Amino acid sequence: MSNTDAKQCPKPDRPEYAFIGRSNVGKSSLINMLTNHSGLAKISSTPGKTRLINHFIINEQWYLVDLPGYGYAKISKDKREAWSGFTKEYLISRENLMNVFVLIDSRIEPQKIDLDFITQLGRNQIPFVLVFTKIDKQSSRKTQTTIDAFKLEMLKTWEELPPIYSTSSELKAGRDEILSFIEQTNKLFKQ
Ligand code: GTP
Ligand code: MG
């Protein structure tokens, strides 16, 4: 199901996991990699492809949600901001939302828009983990440098750091770890 209205999402009767990040960070690719479904979420060479709240039901058991990317300059100002519009409504109001996977490009230094977004998640007590994407594009040393810089930045305001995953949709790296996190978290779901 795809829509732009948090109130019209599927009945919140199963645990749900949302994926979000800057436009072009690799959300749709990661979703396809996790589900072993090359055409499930649309992958684009032009950023800003995902513009709706897209629900996928997985194994009749849980919902996976592909959210529009933020920070893409060529779309309207509202959509450029990370914490705005129907995405914000969805994140605040979705009662079965177990966790938000915040995707970060492993090749770039900490960006204000990502840090602002996770600050908002914290303020609204929405659980999240960080997922560093596209690790096949560089050495593991460089990926570690990005992760360390992000941790340092977060520790300026956070007491505790969230779980952190490193992934590559090309190499299917990080798949087992994320699926096992979801499986564990599913057990905590109460209707
Ligand atoms: P929008 O929905 O347009 O905001 O983008 P998105 O975050 O869903 O990104 P998408 O999955 O469409 O990927 C954007 C581009 O990055 C595509 O050209 C992908 O092929 C590429 N890409 C995504 N993940 C990886 C990865 O792990 N490794 C490499 N090498 N390329 C990747
Ligand atoms: Mg996408």
Side-chain angles (χ1 to χ4, degrees):
M1 182 186 280
S2 296
N3 62 69
T4 57
D5 183 353
K7 289 193 270 318
Q8 283 175 28
C9 290
K11 223 168 73 186
D13 56 357
R14 296 155 215 256
E16 183 159 311
Y17 300 85
F19 290 77
I20 194 164
R22 272 152 51 89
S23 188
N24 213 39
V25 71
K27 285 179 303 294
S28 300
S29 303
L30 183 77
I31 288 168
N32 292 342
M33 184 270 266
L34 291 175
T35 56
N36 257 335
H37 238 286
S38 59
L40 197 64
K42 299 279 180 295
I43 298 172
S44 55
S45 47
T46 46
K49 186 90 178 168
T50 309
R51 305 234 176 133
L52 300 164
I53 304 172
N54 297 300
H55 275 79
F56 302 100
I57 188 161
I58 311 295
N59 298 338
E60 297 294 321
Q61 215 192 348
W62 52 279
Y63 285 120
L64 185 159
V65 177
D66 187 10
L67 291 170
Y70 50 72
Y72 178 51
K74 281 196 180 161
I75 53 178
S76 72
K77 183 155 180 292
D78 185 48
K79 294 197 181 94
R80 233 181 290 160
E81 285 172 28
W83 193 256
S84 70
F86 62 79
T87 297
K88 171 182 162 185
E89 273 318 302
Y90 162 81
L91 290 168
I92 290 175
S93 66
R94 191 66 173 157
E95 61 201 80
N96 59 335
L97 184 60
M98 303 298 279
N99 183 66
V100 179
F101 289 91
V102 181
L103 276 57
I104 314 270
D105 192 319
S106 66
R107 298 167 302 170
I108 56 170
E109 60 195 37
Q111 302 285 304
K112 185 172 183 302
I113 195 163
D114 294 324
L115 291 158
D116 286 350
F117 180 74
I118 60 181
T119 298
Q120 292 296 344
L121 289 176
R123 281 194 185 137
N124 289 279
Q125 297 185 298
I126 300 167
F128 66 94
V129 304
L130 300 178
V131 177
F132 287 86
T133 63
K134 308 192 188 183
I135 62 165
D136 60 286
K137 290 212 175 199
Q138 64 181 1
S139 68
S140 54
R141 194 179 53 80
K142 281 198 171 147
T143 297
Q144 198 50 53
T145 303
T146 308
I147 295 176
D148 289 343
F150 205 93
K151 282 183 176 172
L152 266 182
E153 209 46 61
M154 273 191 82
L155 285 171
K156 289 181 184 167
T157 49
W158 291 75
E159 267 174 40
E160 242 182 289
L161 294 175
I164 292 176
Y165 296 97
S166 305
T167 63
S168 160
S169 300
E170 288 286 311
L171 306 176
K172 295 205 169 228
R175 184 174 186 272
D176 293 348
E177 291 80 358
I178 289 180
L179 290 179
S180 127
F181 173 88
I182 291 173
E183 209 166 285
Q184 291 306 312
T185 311
N186 278 343
K187 294 182 188 156
L188 308 173
F189 180 71
K190 290 192 189 70
Q191 234 180 319

